[in-house]
C-alpha cells in the first residue's frame, strides 16, 4: 500500500475509468513498465549522442578495463 494524495487517487480512478487498466495494481504495473521502457530509450539516445560526440572507446575490453582501474 502506498499513500497517495487525493489528486493522485482521482487521476488513477480516471485512468481506470478510461480503460487504461482494470484496477490500481494493473495500472501501477503498466506505469512501471512504461518508465522502464522510457529509461531504455533515454539510454539508447544518450549512447547515440556520445557516439556522435566521439566519446566511444575502441579496443579489447580487458585492456580498456585495465586503463580505468
Amino acid at each position: 500500500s502506498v499513500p497517495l494524495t487525493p489528486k493522485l487517487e482521482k487521476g488513477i480512478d480516471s485512468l481506470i475509468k478510461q480503460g487504461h487498466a482494470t484496477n490500481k495494481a494493473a495500472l501501477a504495473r503498466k506505469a512501471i513498465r512504461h518508465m522502464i521502457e522510457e529509461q531504455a530509450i533515454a539510454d539508447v539516445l544518450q549512447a547515440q549522442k556520445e557516439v556522435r560526440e566521439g566519446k566511444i572507446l575502441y579496443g579489447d575490453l580487458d585492456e580498456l578495463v585495465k586503463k580505468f582501474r
Side-chain angles (χ1 to χ4, degrees), residues 8-61:
L8 285 174
E9 284 283 353
K10 283 179 78 173
I12 290 168
D13 292 339
S14 176
L15 289 169
I16 291 170
K17 285 178 185 172
Q18 292 173 27
H20 292 283
T22 56
N23 56 48
K24 291 178 182 181
L27 186 65
R29 286 189 294 272
K30 188 173 185 175
I32 292 167
R33 280 192 301 272
H34 179 73
M35 290 177 69
I36 291 168
E37 290 170 2
E38 287 294 316
Q39 185 60 56
I41 291 167
D43 292 345
V44 168
L45 293 173
Q46 180 63 34
Q48 289 175 333
K49 179 181 178 230
E50 290 176 6
V51 167
R52 283 192 306 274
E53 294 172 350
K55 297 178 182 177
I56 188 167
L57 300 174
Y58 295 97
D60 182 88
L61 186 57

